Amino acid sequence: MHLEKRILITGGAGFLGSHLCDMMLERGHRVLCVDNFFTGTQQNVDHLRDNPRFELMRHDITFPLYVEVDEIYNLACPASPIHYQRDPVQTTKVSVLGAINVLGLAKRTKAKVFQASTSEVYGDPSVHPQTEDYWGNVNPIGVRSCYDEGKRCAETLFFDYRRQHHLSIKVARIFNTYGPRMHPNDGRVVSSFIVQALRGEDITMYGTGQQTRSFCFVSDLLDGFVRLMDSPDDVIGPINIGNPSEFTMIELADLVIELTGSRSKVRHLPLPQDDPRQRKPDITKARDLLGWEPRIALREGLQRTIAYFDRQLTAAGT
């Protein structure tokens, strides 16, 4: 039995955050879920409302938070280009000011603090697959920079707080993740392809479809988070958490069409600015230091995700 802790999860009503709330409650902890509902939804955590160990607080993490906690998972930030480009200044603020505020809270409460960083810190990589010691190839003034550079600055802050204030920190770099509770209109490729296929619409393919991504199912990713948080203090990160199986966008579209039984056709559109050509994690560190690697294959994960979106669309009557 784990010792009960009070755990703060910022962005806790989002896709990843809500699943992490579930996991922490299942492990016997108390959970303070903080979200401003910019992309998160109350629906994602409605099933937890009656749990006496769960608390939901509406709060914007760009403002300080005064609570008593034992551990912090900082997940607050829109993660899809459609959402983070809607208000790019706020995206940078939530990455940078949000990091300052959770680090200040961790310093005061002596809490261990986890940063959900991103593979976007590598930009459009010139090294493949990406290892944690690769410094990245990021455009500092492009339309994706608010997210890419915001997350890079957050990592800087985490490491400086550790060096300057001896904080206990953990930093994970998340690669493409998918699963139930993804936002249906977030513009991310898995959710977009599934929703379009279920509706019988054309599947929107940017560029030739030969660009690659690596897709990690949400339960695998969160297993990596918890293993990193529970690891010895000298295991800090950054550590890549993602699935090293690489797929082209055409392969993904074909698999979604097959699994949904859809008659959708693929429609090609111009590639967005600074869209990475390839993305694949080197997870050697995660394997060696955490004993972690993903277990759920893309086909199985897509089947679960399609079933979720099918229920959502049916309930919405679309």
Side-chain angles (χ1 to χ4, degrees):
M1 180 67 184
H2 294 274
L3 186 68
E4 182 184 275
K5 297 172 184 170
R6 188 161 193 242
I7 296 176
L8 167 63
I9 301 174
T10 71
F15 162 46
L16 297 180
S18 62
H19 285 287
L20 187 59
C21 288
D22 289 343
M23 182 179 280
M24 292 296 107
L25 289 167
E26 285 165 10
R27 286 165 68 100
H29 299 305
R30 305 184 74 81
V31 170
L32 173 58
C33 169
V34 168
D35 208 297
N36 69 347
F37 301 109
F38 182 71
T39 57
T41 67
Q42 301 216 14
Q43 179 187 353
N44 284 342
V45 291
D46 267 348
H47 63 289
L48 302 176
R49 288 297 189 91
D50 295 331
N51 190 319
R53 288 182 287 108
F54 177 76
E55 183 182 350
L56 177 62
M57 178 189 293
R58 187 181 196 115
H59 179 80
D60 185 333
I61 202 63
T62 60
F63 298 94
L65 184 61
Y66 301 101
V67 291
E68 302 305 316
V69 291
D70 302 304
E71 288 185 354
I72 303 168
Y73 285 85
N74 184 35
L75 274 59
C77 189
S80 75
I82 282 180
H83 288 151
Y84 67 63
Q85 290 170 13
R86 188 189 303 163
D87 189 345
V89 171
Q90 186 64 20
T91 296
T92 303
K93 279 184 174 180
V94 77
S95 293
V96 178
L97 295 179
I100 289 169
N101 288 330
V102 299
L103 287 162
L105 175 61
K107 180 185 169 190
R108 182 179 66 78
T109 60
K110 297 180 170 55
K112 188 189 300 184
V113 57
F114 175 100
Q115 169 66 3
S117 191
T118 172
S119 60
E120 296 293 338
V121 300
Y122 300 123
D124 186 6
S126 54
V127 169
H128 192 74
Q130 291 81 58
T131 57
E132 291 87 350
D133 57 2
Y134 173 54
W135 289 357
N137 176 37
V138 176
N139 176 359
I141 57 170
V143 295
R144 301 170 72 104
S145 310
C146 58
Y147 185 68
D148 302 1
E149 297 288 35
K151 288 287 193 177
R152 284 162 69 94
C153 185
E155 286 196 14
T156 302
L157 285 160
F158 267 71
F159 277 82
D160 281 337
Y161 262 80
R162 177 176 172 83
R163 285 185 283 258
Q164 192 170 334
H165 301 297
H166 312 292
L167 250 58
S168 178
I169 67 165
K170 305 285 183 177
V171 178
R173 288 177 178 163
I174 302 168
F175 283 69
N176 290 59
T177 306
Y178 69 102
R181 300 184 200 157
M182 291 184 84
H183 197 292
N185 302 315
D186 67 2
R188 284 191 274 196
V189 65
V190 172
S191 50
S192 294
F193 284 8
I194 289 174
V195 170
Q196 288 168 342
L198 287 171
R199 288 176 171 162
E201 300 169 355
D202 285 348
I203 286 182
T204 305
M205 180 76 64
Y206 293 102
T208 62
Q210 292 307 309
Q211 66 271 37
T212 66
R213 296 292 184 272
S214 306
F215 301 103
C216 187
F217 192 68
V218 59
S219 60
D220 279 339
L221 184 88
L222 296 182
D223 177 48
F225 281 14
V226 173
R227 285 173 185 249
L228 176 55
M229 199 61 146
D230 292 346
S231 64
D233 283 347
D234 61 347
V235 179
I236 302 163
I239 289 185
N240 291 336
I241 306 287
N243 194 321
S245 299
E246 191 177 10
F247 294 88
T248 66
M249 297 301 91
I250 288 287
E251 288 173 325
L252 177 67
D254 288 345
L255 188 51
V256 168
I257 289 170
E258 176 200 330
L259 293 175
T260 55
S262 176
R263 296 182 179 180
S264 295
K265 299 286 187 283
V266 173
R267 180 165 56 101
H268 291 267
L269 295 176
L271 201 62
Q273 181 187 340
D274 298 330
D275 192 63
R277 291 158 299 168
Q278 52 188 17
R279 198 47 78 58
K280 176 182 177 178
D282 182 310
I283 62 166
T284 304
K285 271 193 176 180
R287 283 195 180 110
D288 292 349
L289 297 176
L290 309 178
W292 178 87
E293 61 184 337
R295 294 174 298 196
I296 295 176
L298 183 61
R299 177 177 287 270
E300 180 188 346
L302 284 177
Q303 286 170 331
R304 295 193 202 179
T305 311
I306 288 165
Y308 167 78
F309 277 114
D310 197 22
R311 289 193 300 273
Q312 294 296 105
L313 294 175
T314 301
T318 58

